[in-house]
Short mmCIF file of all heavy atoms in Angstrom, two decimals:
data_model
loop_
_atom_site.label_atom_id
_atom_site.label_comp_id
_atom_site.label_asym_id
_atom_site.label_seq_id
_atom_site.Cartn_x
_atom_site.Cartn_y
_atom_site.Cartn_z
N LYS A 17 15.14 -110.43 -45.37
CA LYS A 17 14.04 -109.74 -46.04
C LYS A 17 14.53 -108.44 -46.64
O LYS A 17 15.74 -108.20 -46.71
CB LYS A 17 12.89 -109.52 -45.06
CG LYS A 17 12.21 -110.83 -44.69
CD LYS A 17 10.90 -110.60 -43.99
CE LYS A 17 10.20 -111.94 -43.77
NZ LYS A 17 8.92 -111.78 -43.12
N GLY A 18 13.58 -107.59 -47.04
CA GLY A 18 13.82 -106.36 -47.78
C GLY A 18 15.14 -105.65 -47.58
O GLY A 18 15.99 -105.64 -48.46
N ASP A 19 15.34 -105.02 -46.41
CA ASP A 19 16.54 -104.23 -46.19
C ASP A 19 17.81 -105.07 -46.22
O ASP A 19 18.84 -104.64 -46.74
CB ASP A 19 16.45 -103.45 -44.87
CG ASP A 19 15.65 -102.16 -45.02
OD1 ASP A 19 15.67 -101.57 -46.13
OD2 ASP A 19 15.02 -101.74 -44.04
N GLU A 20 17.74 -106.27 -45.66
CA GLU A 20 18.92 -107.14 -45.66
C GLU A 20 19.26 -107.61 -47.08
O GLU A 20 20.42 -107.65 -47.47
CB GLU A 20 18.69 -108.34 -44.73
CG GLU A 20 19.95 -109.15 -44.50
CD GLU A 20 19.76 -110.26 -43.48
OE1 GLU A 20 18.76 -110.24 -42.74
OE2 GLU A 20 20.62 -111.14 -43.44
N LEU A 21 18.24 -107.96 -47.85
CA LEU A 21 18.48 -108.36 -49.24
C LEU A 21 19.04 -107.18 -50.05
O LEU A 21 19.91 -107.35 -50.90
CB LEU A 21 17.20 -108.89 -49.89
CG LEU A 21 16.76 -110.27 -49.43
CD1 LEU A 21 15.39 -110.61 -50.01
CD2 LEU A 21 17.78 -111.33 -49.80
N TYR A 22 18.53 -105.99 -49.76
CA TYR A 22 19.02 -104.78 -50.43
C TYR A 22 20.52 -104.59 -50.13
O TYR A 22 21.32 -104.33 -51.03
CB TYR A 22 18.22 -103.56 -49.98
CG TYR A 22 18.68 -102.27 -50.59
CD1 TYR A 22 18.20 -101.85 -51.82
CD2 TYR A 22 19.60 -101.45 -49.93
CE1 TYR A 22 18.63 -100.66 -52.40
CE2 TYR A 22 20.02 -100.26 -50.50
CZ TYR A 22 19.54 -99.87 -51.73
OH TYR A 22 19.98 -98.70 -52.28
N SER A 23 20.90 -104.74 -48.87
CA SER A 23 22.30 -104.59 -48.48
C SER A 23 23.18 -105.63 -49.17
O SER A 23 24.29 -105.32 -49.62
CB SER A 23 22.46 -104.71 -46.97
OG SER A 23 21.83 -103.64 -46.34
N THR A 24 22.69 -106.85 -49.26
CA THR A 24 23.44 -107.91 -49.94
C THR A 24 23.55 -107.60 -51.43
O THR A 24 24.63 -107.72 -52.01
CB THR A 24 22.75 -109.27 -49.74
OG1 THR A 24 22.71 -109.56 -48.34
CG2 THR A 24 23.48 -110.38 -50.47
N LEU A 25 22.45 -107.20 -52.04
CA LEU A 25 22.43 -106.90 -53.47
C LEU A 25 23.43 -105.80 -53.82
O LEU A 25 24.10 -105.86 -54.85
CB LEU A 25 21.02 -106.50 -53.90
CG LEU A 25 20.78 -106.19 -55.37
CD1 LEU A 25 21.05 -107.41 -56.24
CD2 LEU A 25 19.34 -105.72 -55.57
N PHE A 26 23.55 -104.82 -52.94
CA PHE A 26 24.43 -103.69 -53.22
C PHE A 26 25.68 -103.67 -52.34
O PHE A 26 26.23 -102.62 -52.05
CB PHE A 26 23.64 -102.37 -53.10
CG PHE A 26 22.61 -102.24 -54.18
CD1 PHE A 26 21.26 -102.33 -53.87
CD2 PHE A 26 22.98 -102.08 -55.51
CE1 PHE A 26 20.29 -102.23 -54.87
CE2 PHE A 26 22.02 -101.99 -56.51
CZ PHE A 26 20.68 -102.06 -56.19
N SER A 27 26.14 -104.86 -51.95
CA SER A 27 27.37 -104.92 -51.16
C SER A 27 28.57 -104.53 -52.01
O SER A 27 29.62 -104.16 -51.48
CB SER A 27 27.55 -106.30 -50.54
OG SER A 27 27.62 -107.30 -51.53
N PHE A 28 28.44 -104.61 -53.33
CA PHE A 28 29.43 -104.11 -54.28
C PHE A 28 28.74 -103.10 -55.18
O PHE A 28 27.53 -103.19 -55.39
CB PHE A 28 30.01 -105.26 -55.12
CG PHE A 28 30.77 -106.26 -54.30
CD1 PHE A 28 30.15 -107.40 -53.82
CD2 PHE A 28 32.10 -106.06 -54.00
CE1 PHE A 28 30.84 -108.32 -53.06
CE2 PHE A 28 32.81 -106.97 -53.23
CZ PHE A 28 32.18 -108.11 -52.76
N GLU A 29 29.49 -102.17 -55.70
CA GLU A 29 28.93 -101.14 -56.57
C GLU A 29 28.20 -101.78 -57.75
O GLU A 29 28.73 -102.66 -58.41
CB GLU A 29 30.06 -100.23 -57.09
CG GLU A 29 29.59 -99.01 -57.82
CD GLU A 29 28.83 -98.03 -56.93
OE1 GLU A 29 29.09 -97.97 -55.71
OE2 GLU A 29 27.96 -97.33 -57.47
N PRO A 30 26.95 -101.36 -58.01
CA PRO A 30 26.23 -101.93 -59.15
C PRO A 30 26.84 -101.47 -60.47
O PRO A 30 27.58 -100.48 -60.52
CB PRO A 30 24.81 -101.37 -58.98
CG PRO A 30 24.99 -100.12 -58.20
CD PRO A 30 26.18 -100.35 -57.30
N ILE A 31 26.54 -102.21 -61.51
CA ILE A 31 27.02 -101.88 -62.86
C ILE A 31 25.84 -101.37 -63.66
O ILE A 31 24.79 -102.03 -63.72
CB ILE A 31 27.65 -103.12 -63.53
CG1 ILE A 31 28.88 -103.57 -62.74
CG2 ILE A 31 27.98 -102.84 -65.00
CD1 ILE A 31 29.46 -104.89 -63.19
N ASP A 32 25.99 -100.21 -64.28
CA ASP A 32 24.95 -99.68 -65.16
C ASP A 32 25.01 -100.40 -66.50
O ASP A 32 26.08 -100.52 -67.09
CB ASP A 32 25.12 -98.17 -65.38
CG ASP A 32 24.65 -97.35 -64.21
OD1 ASP A 32 23.87 -97.87 -63.38
OD2 ASP A 32 25.06 -96.18 -64.11
N TRP A 33 23.86 -100.87 -66.96
CA TRP A 33 23.75 -101.54 -68.25
C TRP A 33 23.48 -100.51 -69.33
O TRP A 33 22.69 -99.60 -69.15
CB TRP A 33 22.63 -102.58 -68.23
CG TRP A 33 22.48 -103.26 -69.55
CD1 TRP A 33 21.40 -103.19 -70.39
CD2 TRP A 33 23.43 -104.11 -70.19
NE1 TRP A 33 21.62 -103.94 -71.50
CE2 TRP A 33 22.87 -104.51 -71.41
CE3 TRP A 33 24.70 -104.54 -69.87
CZ2 TRP A 33 23.52 -105.35 -72.30
CZ3 TRP A 33 25.37 -105.39 -70.76
CH2 TRP A 33 24.77 -105.78 -71.95
N ASN A 34 24.15 -100.65 -70.45
CA ASN A 34 23.96 -99.73 -71.56
C ASN A 34 23.77 -100.51 -72.84
O ASN A 34 24.50 -101.47 -73.10
CB ASN A 34 25.17 -98.80 -71.68
CG ASN A 34 24.83 -97.53 -72.38
OD1 ASN A 34 24.31 -97.55 -73.49
ND2 ASN A 34 25.09 -96.40 -71.73
N ARG A 35 22.81 -100.11 -73.63
CA ARG A 35 22.51 -100.80 -74.88
C ARG A 35 23.31 -100.25 -76.06
O ARG A 35 23.32 -100.84 -77.12
CB ARG A 35 21.02 -100.69 -75.20
CG ARG A 35 20.15 -101.49 -74.26
CD ARG A 35 18.67 -101.23 -74.54
NE ARG A 35 17.82 -102.14 -73.83
CZ ARG A 35 17.51 -102.01 -72.54
NH1 ARG A 35 17.98 -101.01 -71.86
NH2 ARG A 35 16.72 -102.88 -71.97
N ILE A 36 23.95 -99.11 -75.90
CA ILE A 36 24.69 -98.48 -77.00
C ILE A 36 26.09 -99.07 -77.08
O ILE A 36 26.83 -99.09 -76.09
CB ILE A 36 24.75 -96.95 -76.80
CG1 ILE A 36 23.34 -96.38 -76.76
CG2 ILE A 36 25.60 -96.29 -77.88
CD1 ILE A 36 23.26 -94.93 -76.33
N GLY A 37 26.46 -99.54 -78.27
CA GLY A 37 27.71 -100.26 -78.56
C GLY A 37 28.92 -99.99 -77.68
O GLY A 37 29.30 -100.82 -76.87
N ALA A 38 29.56 -98.84 -77.85
CA ALA A 38 30.81 -98.56 -77.13
C ALA A 38 30.57 -98.51 -75.62
O ALA A 38 31.41 -98.96 -74.84
CB ALA A 38 31.41 -97.25 -77.62
N PHE A 39 29.43 -97.99 -75.20
CA PHE A 39 29.12 -97.93 -73.77
C PHE A 39 28.81 -99.33 -73.23
O PHE A 39 29.14 -99.66 -72.10
CB PHE A 39 27.96 -96.97 -73.51
CG PHE A 39 28.26 -95.57 -73.92
CD1 PHE A 39 27.54 -94.97 -74.94
CD2 PHE A 39 29.26 -94.84 -73.31
CE1 PHE A 39 27.81 -93.67 -75.33
CE2 PHE A 39 29.55 -93.55 -73.69
CZ PHE A 39 28.82 -92.96 -74.70
N GLN A 40 28.16 -100.15 -74.05
CA GLN A 40 27.88 -101.53 -73.64
C GLN A 40 29.19 -102.30 -73.45
O GLN A 40 29.29 -103.14 -72.57
CB GLN A 40 27.00 -102.23 -74.68
CG GLN A 40 26.53 -103.59 -74.22
CD GLN A 40 25.65 -104.25 -75.24
OE1 GLN A 40 26.16 -104.96 -76.11
NE2 GLN A 40 24.36 -103.98 -75.15
N ASP A 41 30.18 -101.98 -74.27
CA ASP A 41 31.49 -102.61 -74.10
C ASP A 41 32.04 -102.37 -72.70
O ASP A 41 32.62 -103.26 -72.09
CB ASP A 41 32.50 -102.08 -75.14
CG ASP A 41 32.19 -102.53 -76.56
OD1 ASP A 41 31.38 -103.46 -76.74
OD2 ASP A 41 32.77 -101.94 -77.49
N VAL A 42 31.84 -101.16 -72.18
CA VAL A 42 32.30 -100.83 -70.83
C VAL A 42 31.52 -101.66 -69.81
O VAL A 42 32.11 -102.24 -68.89
CB VAL A 42 32.17 -99.32 -70.55
CG1 VAL A 42 32.49 -99.01 -69.10
CG2 VAL A 42 33.07 -98.53 -71.49
N SER A 43 30.19 -101.72 -69.95
CA SER A 43 29.38 -102.52 -69.04
C SER A 43 29.84 -103.97 -69.05
O SER A 43 29.98 -104.60 -67.99
CB SER A 43 27.89 -102.45 -69.43
OG SER A 43 27.39 -101.15 -69.33
N MET A 44 30.08 -104.51 -70.23
CA MET A 44 30.49 -105.92 -70.35
C MET A 44 31.86 -106.16 -69.73
O MET A 44 32.08 -107.18 -69.08
CB MET A 44 30.48 -106.36 -71.82
CG MET A 44 29.10 -106.53 -72.40
SD MET A 44 28.02 -107.66 -71.46
CE MET A 44 29.02 -109.13 -71.35
N ARG A 45 32.77 -105.22 -69.93
CA ARG A 45 34.10 -105.39 -69.33
C ARG A 45 33.99 -105.41 -67.81
O ARG A 45 34.62 -106.22 -67.14
CB ARG A 45 35.04 -104.28 -69.79
CG ARG A 45 36.41 -104.41 -69.18
CD ARG A 45 37.36 -103.31 -69.59
NE ARG A 45 38.55 -103.38 -68.79
CZ ARG A 45 39.70 -103.85 -69.22
NH1 ARG A 45 39.82 -104.27 -70.46
NH2 ARG A 45 40.75 -103.88 -68.43
N LEU A 46 33.18 -104.52 -67.25
CA LEU A 46 33.00 -104.49 -65.80
C LEU A 46 32.39 -105.79 -65.28
O LEU A 46 32.81 -106.33 -64.25
CB LEU A 46 32.14 -103.30 -65.40
CG LEU A 46 32.78 -101.92 -65.59
CD1 LEU A 46 31.74 -100.82 -65.39
CD2 LEU A 46 33.96 -101.73 -64.65
N ILE A 47 31.40 -106.31 -66.01
CA ILE A 47 30.77 -107.58 -65.62
C ILE A 47 31.80 -108.71 -65.67
O ILE A 47 31.94 -109.50 -64.72
CB ILE A 47 29.55 -107.89 -66.52
CG1 ILE A 47 28.41 -106.90 -66.22
CG2 ILE A 47 29.10 -109.35 -66.34
CD1 ILE A 47 27.27 -106.95 -67.24
N ALA A 48 32.55 -108.80 -66.77
CA ALA A 48 33.55 -109.86 -66.92
C ALA A 48 34.62 -109.77 -65.84
O ALA A 48 35.02 -110.79 -65.25
CB ALA A 48 34.19 -109.78 -68.31
N GLU A 49 35.07 -108.57 -65.54
CA GLU A 49 36.07 -108.40 -64.49
C GLU A 49 35.54 -108.86 -63.14
O GLU A 49 36.25 -109.52 -62.38
CB GLU A 49 36.54 -106.95 -64.41
CG GLU A 49 37.46 -106.56 -65.54
CD GLU A 49 37.86 -105.08 -65.51
OE1 GLU A 49 37.26 -104.29 -64.74
OE2 GLU A 49 38.78 -104.73 -66.27
N ARG A 50 34.30 -108.55 -62.83
CA ARG A 50 33.72 -108.98 -61.55
C ARG A 50 33.63 -110.50 -61.48
O ARG A 50 33.91 -111.09 -60.44
CB ARG A 50 32.32 -108.39 -61.36
CG ARG A 50 32.30 -106.92 -61.15
CD ARG A 50 32.24 -106.54 -59.67
NE ARG A 50 32.15 -105.11 -59.56
CZ ARG A 50 31.02 -104.43 -59.45
NH1 ARG A 50 29.87 -105.06 -59.38
NH2 ARG A 50 31.04 -103.13 -59.38
N ILE A 51 33.23 -111.12 -62.58
CA ILE A 51 33.14 -112.59 -62.59
C ILE A 51 34.52 -113.19 -62.38
O ILE A 51 34.70 -114.10 -61.56
CB ILE A 51 32.52 -113.08 -63.92
CG1 ILE A 51 31.04 -112.69 -63.98
CG2 ILE A 51 32.70 -114.60 -64.06
CD1 ILE A 51 30.42 -112.88 -65.35
N LEU A 52 35.50 -112.69 -63.09
CA LEU A 52 36.85 -113.25 -63.01
C LEU A 52 37.52 -112.98 -61.67
O LEU A 52 38.17 -113.86 -61.12
CB LEU A 52 37.72 -112.72 -64.15
CG LEU A 52 37.31 -113.21 -65.54
CD1 LEU A 52 38.14 -112.50 -66.61
CD2 LEU A 52 37.46 -114.71 -65.65
N GLU A 53 37.37 -111.79 -61.14
CA GLU A 53 38.03 -111.51 -59.85
C GLU A 53 37.40 -112.27 -58.72
O GLU A 53 38.05 -112.61 -57.75
CB GLU A 53 38.06 -110.01 -59.56
CG GLU A 53 36.74 -109.39 -59.20
CD GLU A 53 36.81 -107.88 -59.11
OE1 GLU A 53 37.68 -107.27 -59.73
OE2 GLU A 53 35.94 -107.32 -58.42
N ARG A 54 36.12 -112.59 -58.82
CA ARG A 54 35.46 -113.36 -57.77
C ARG A 54 35.85 -114.83 -57.86
O ARG A 54 35.95 -115.51 -56.87
CB ARG A 54 33.95 -113.24 -57.90
CG ARG A 54 33.47 -111.84 -57.64
CD ARG A 54 32.60 -111.81 -56.41
NE ARG A 54 32.23 -110.52 -55.95
CZ ARG A 54 31.62 -109.57 -56.64
NH1 ARG A 54 31.35 -109.73 -57.89
NH2 ARG A 54 31.30 -108.43 -56.07
N ASP A 55 36.04 -115.31 -59.09
CA ASP A 55 36.32 -116.73 -59.27
C ASP A 55 37.81 -117.06 -59.30
O ASP A 55 38.20 -118.18 -59.08
CB ASP A 55 35.69 -117.22 -60.59
CG ASP A 55 34.17 -117.20 -60.52
OD1 ASP A 55 33.63 -117.23 -59.41
OD2 ASP A 55 33.54 -117.14 -61.57
N ASP A 56 38.64 -116.06 -59.61
CA ASP A 56 40.08 -116.31 -59.73
C ASP A 56 40.81 -115.22 -58.96
O ASP A 56 41.07 -114.14 -59.47
CB ASP A 56 40.47 -116.27 -61.22
CG ASP A 56 41.94 -116.58 -61.43
OD1 ASP A 56 42.67 -116.79 -60.44
OD2 ASP A 56 42.36 -116.61 -62.59
N PRO A 57 41.18 -115.50 -57.71
CA PRO A 57 41.79 -114.47 -56.87
C PRO A 57 43.14 -113.99 -57.40
O PRO A 57 43.63 -112.96 -56.97
CB PRO A 57 41.94 -115.14 -55.51
CG PRO A 57 41.75 -116.58 -55.73
CD PRO A 57 41.01 -116.75 -57.03
N THR A 58 43.77 -114.69 -58.35
CA THR A 58 45.05 -114.25 -58.89
C THR A 58 44.87 -113.25 -60.02
O THR A 58 45.82 -112.66 -60.49
CB THR A 58 45.87 -115.44 -59.44
OG1 THR A 58 45.17 -116.04 -60.53
CG2 THR A 58 46.12 -116.45 -58.34
#
């Protein structure tokens, strides 16, 4: 429930989403890196 789901949701540092071009590029890179590092340990 609440607190446990909160802990799970934030077990890794959250990524801030940005709608502005160059800043959004940073958000997207962080998202892509998280996907890749979780799926490909190498």
Side-chain angles (χ1 to χ4, degrees):
K17 291 193 174 181
D19 278 329
E20 189 175 345
L21 287 173
Y22 179 86
S23 294
T24 299
L25 182 62
F26 293 110
S27 60
F28 296 94
E29 189 65 29
I31 297 172
D32 283 341
W33 178 245
N34 203 305
R35 290 174 170 79
I36 300 170
F39 299 115
Q40 187 179 90
D41 290 346
V42 173
S43 297
M44 288 305 307
R45 179 181 170 104
L46 291 170
I47 291 168
E49 286 177 348
R50 291 263 183 94
I51 291 168
L52 292 174
E53 72 188 24
R54 294 244 172 56
D55 292 338
D56 183 358
T58 63

